[in-house]
Structure formats: structure tokens, C-alpha cells
Amino acid sequence: SVIDIVEDQQGNIWSNLWNGGVVRKGKRSDQFSPCVWNDSDYPSELSYDPAHRLIVATSKSGNPHYYYEDGRVAVPPTNKEPSQSLLQPPSLPNLSETILCHHVDGKQILIGTSRNIYSYNTSSQHLDTLLAGSGRVHGICSGSDGTIYFVSNSEGVCSLRNGMKSCLAESHSNSGIAIDGDTILYISSKLGNVYRLPLRKPYHLEDDTIAGNMNGDPVLTLVADQRGRLYILSSDLLKEYSPQSGGCRTLASANANVGSFKDIQLADGGVILTGSDGSQFVGETESLGSEGTIRRICLSSYT
């Protein structure tokens, strides 16, 4: 039985088989040939690492095996990415209501649903209700002091600390939220905008024209890494944005071979992009290409 099928940049087709190792079909070949597989467990996952141009076959026990595009066994890359943690998104508990968003915070996963906000401990598998009756939560994140921030279309941008909810700013058509250095919140909109909300009173939303304007498409979600960079996702484009320098790098969904984008996760210096067809693109953030500076859009006059 075929488990996964991937294509490398040379047009070769790869597949991992249930109890059958890894097979490869060259671009100009009409049949599959077996690759070396010296592992007692079968390869449960198969992915392509475009940064190193390697095929990564991970066994059921978690051992990664690497292959060059020509089918030869390869040595692991020095920084060993994509790593196992990058290849495996966190598992979420089964809930009676629809899960709309989640945020991984150590061993805790914050979950926003159509009605409530939960905290799920991955070690103890214990689920706590942090806020009941929150309404539809479209984005959630947390600060280093334990404060939880979330967006809902009914109440805008909100904070939650020690069970107490506060509304920080009115905002509509929200799709995601991320925090940068405990000082600034970024909120994405289904209308294509990204807003800045400095965490100081009086709270005021500021439209960040470089981060937004995703070719007029709705922003699906956005996340921030530990370097203060934002990753802003629409169905056709991923934008990596540095608020400090104004620099951007982009990746089109057509170049990731996942159909249209649906979701993004960050882990171990890499990105996991899920496509509308359920397929995934896994790669280093540096594989997005060279960085260019985009000038801010200013309005000089209007009629």
C-alpha cells in the first residue's frame, strides 16, 4: 500500500510503502525502483527538503533516512532540518465544538473554538476551560507573563489573565493574532489588512501597510517567531516580514506544490505549510528566498 507520494525539484517521483521501504521513479523512467532501506520499521512519513534537496523518509520509530535526488543514500544535513518535531504538528483533543485556532506554548496548547477557550497539557493530556462563552475565537497567542490574547469578531481584540477578560480594541473580520516581544500585537483581517496594537494605554490599532495588502486576498492567519519576524498567510502567498527592517520574503503556493495555502506552523527554524488538498510543504525559513525591502504605502490625497 502506498502511504505518501512526493516530487522533488528534478521531477522524480518518490513513494514510501507499507512494509515495503522507499521507491523512486526517475523523470524519464516508466517504472519505480527500490531504494536502500535498512530499517526494521517501515517508513511512515515521506517529505522533500528543498533547502538541502533531500528526500527524508522517517521510519515508524522516528529514525530519519536521507536520499539524494538521484536515489543514493545521503548523509544527514549538518543542521538536520527538517527535524522530527518540524514534521509532526501537535495533536489536539477531540471537542464537541469546532476548533478554530490553536497556539503551542511549551507543553500547553491554547485552543480557541466556536464557543470557548481551552488549555490542553500535552504531557498529562488534561483539558482546562480558561474562558467559557468567549464566542468564535479566530486567533490566539500568549505573552511571557502568561497573559493570553485573542480575537473574536463579536468583541475585537481581548486579553485574558487570571480568568479576567478585558477588551483592548474594537476590530472586525479578524482572522489571526500574534505577539512580538510582549510589546506589540499584530492582528490580521479577512479583508487583507494587518494591524499593529502597541500594548500600552491608550490602545490604538495602526494599519501596517507592508504586512498587509496580500494582493487583495483575505489574510488567513499570521504567526511570529522568536526573532520578531511575522509570517503572514493568504491562500496564494506566504509573506515573511521583519517589522524592524521592513524587509520581506515571499513564497507562492504554486511553488510549494500544495494547491492553495490553508494553515501555517513554525517549529525549529522551519515552516510547515498545509495546503487545501491536505498536503504539506516543509522547509527552512531561509529557503523562502532573498529578502527585499518594501516601501510603506502612503496616501497623499484622495477625492
Side-chain angles (χ1 to χ4, degrees), residues 64-243:
H65 299 256
Y66 300 87
Y67 299 91
Y68 295 116
E69 292 173 331
D70 61 6
R72 294 180 296 120
V73 175
V75 296
T78 55
N79 60 356
K80 207 173 181 296
E81 290 191 13
S83 68
Q84 183 68 6
S85 60
L86 180 61
L87 291 169
Q88 292 185 343
S91 58
L92 302 177
N94 293 321
L95 294 171
S96 58
E97 61 260 38
T98 304
I99 295 177
L100 300 178
C101 59
H102 75 277
H103 170 71
V104 180
D105 184 6
K107 294 183 179 180
Q108 171 188 237
I109 302 179
L110 301 173
I111 302 171
T113 74
S114 53
R115 296 197 299 266
N116 307 303
I117 293 178
Y118 298 94
S119 171
Y120 178 65
N121 189 296
T122 56
S123 296
S124 64
Q125 298 185 345
H126 185 72
L127 186 71
D128 288 319
T129 302
L130 300 182
L131 181 63
S134 61
R136 297 177 66 85
V137 178
H138 292 281
I140 191 167
C141 66
S142 60
S144 62
D145 62 351
T147 302
I148 296 170
Y149 301 94
F150 67 95
V151 287
S152 72
N153 287 336
S154 59
E155 298 190 73
V157 185
C158 302
S159 66
L160 179 63
R161 184 167 176 80
N162 298 326
M164 299 295 295
K165 183 188 73 173
S166 300
C167 296
L168 306 183
E170 183 178 347
S171 181
H172 304 286
S173 300
N174 304 304
S175 60
I177 187 171
I179 190 168
D180 179 11
D182 285 337
T183 59
I184 298 176
L185 293 176
Y186 285 89
I187 296 95
S188 61
S189 161
K190 296 175 184 177
L191 302 179
N193 304 89
V194 173
Y195 300 96
R196 300 169 74 253
L197 180 63
L199 290 173
R200 60 176 182 270
K201 295 181 179 180
Y203 298 116
H204 177 67
L205 282 176
E206 305 167 356
D207 195 349
D208 191 318
T209 55
I210 297 180
N213 298 309
M214 304 289 283
N215 298 325
D217 295 332
V219 177
L220 301 177
T221 189
L222 79 170
V223 291
D225 65 12
Q226 294 180 348
R227 301 178 299 164
R229 290 176 176 266
L230 295 178
Y231 296 84
I232 304 149
L233 191 71
S234 72
S235 60
D236 295 323
L237 192 70
L238 168 66
K239 179 190 292 185
E240 182 201 52
Y241 167 54
S242 171

Side-chain angles (χ1 to χ4, degrees), residues 247-262:
C248 291
R249 294 189 292 193
T250 59
L251 175 69
S253 59
N255 296 328
N257 297 319
V258 294
S260 57
F261 291 136
K262 184 179 180 180

Side-chain angles (χ1 to χ4, degrees), residues 53-72:
R53 302 190 69 163
L54 295 175
I55 292 292
V56 185
T58 306
S59 71
K60 183 182 178 182
S61 59
N63 297 320
H65 299 256
Y66 300 87
Y67 299 91
Y68 295 116
E69 292 173 331
D70 61 6
R72 294 180 296 120

